[in-house]
Amino acid sequence: MQSEGIVRKLDELGRITIPKEIRDSLNLHEKDPVDIIPTDDGILLKISKDKEQVLKELVLEAANTDKEALMSLLKDIFNDLGERFEVG
């Protein structure tokens, strides 16, 4: 079977080390969460982000494109939240 990347062996506890060059290129640091997803033909490792961080990144990206549309969307979201929760 031909390798499609860097080969690492499991240690006695079943762990592998993600090579430093890959961690650096993906901005992964010690204690960062990584999802381990079994697939039909192997394992997929996926950087895990919490929902707050994803939302923050989306809002910042939207602010860089169309600020008026973003403000309108945020007002709609806050109005919807006000209907679901007692605000104030």
Side-chain angles (χ1 to χ4, degrees):
M1 181 172 160
Q2 184 177 352
S3 172
E4 295 182 15
I6 298 171
V7 175
R8 291 285 193 237
K9 292 186 179 184
L10 293 175
D11 71 8
E12 63 277 357
L13 296 176
R15 300 175 295 200
I16 59 166
T17 300
I18 300 171
K20 183 172 180 4
E21 57 270 15
I22 293 175
R23 294 192 316 265
D24 289 346
S25 71
L26 296 173
N27 199 28
L28 281 172
H29 303 283
E30 183 179 341
K31 307 283 184 189
D32 282 352
V34 176
D35 293 330
I36 302 169
I37 303 164
T39 65
D40 290 339
D41 58 348
I43 299 170
L44 171 66
L45 299 178
K46 186 174 178 183
I47 298 169
S48 181
K49 293 185 178 182
D50 63 56
K51 292 177 183 177
E52 288 180 21
Q53 182 63 31
V54 171
L55 179 59
K56 181 179 178 182
E57 289 172 6
L58 289 172
V59 169
L60 290 173
E61 182 180 326
N64 289 329
T65 57
D66 187 347
K67 291 180 183 173
E68 288 182 27
L70 173 62
M71 292 306 294
S72 176
L73 175 62
L74 289 174
K75 286 178 186 176
D76 289 345
I77 291 170
F78 284 119
N79 287 336
D80 289 348
L81 288 174
E83 293 173 8
R84 293 185 204 175
F85 304 100
E86 289 185 26
V87 179

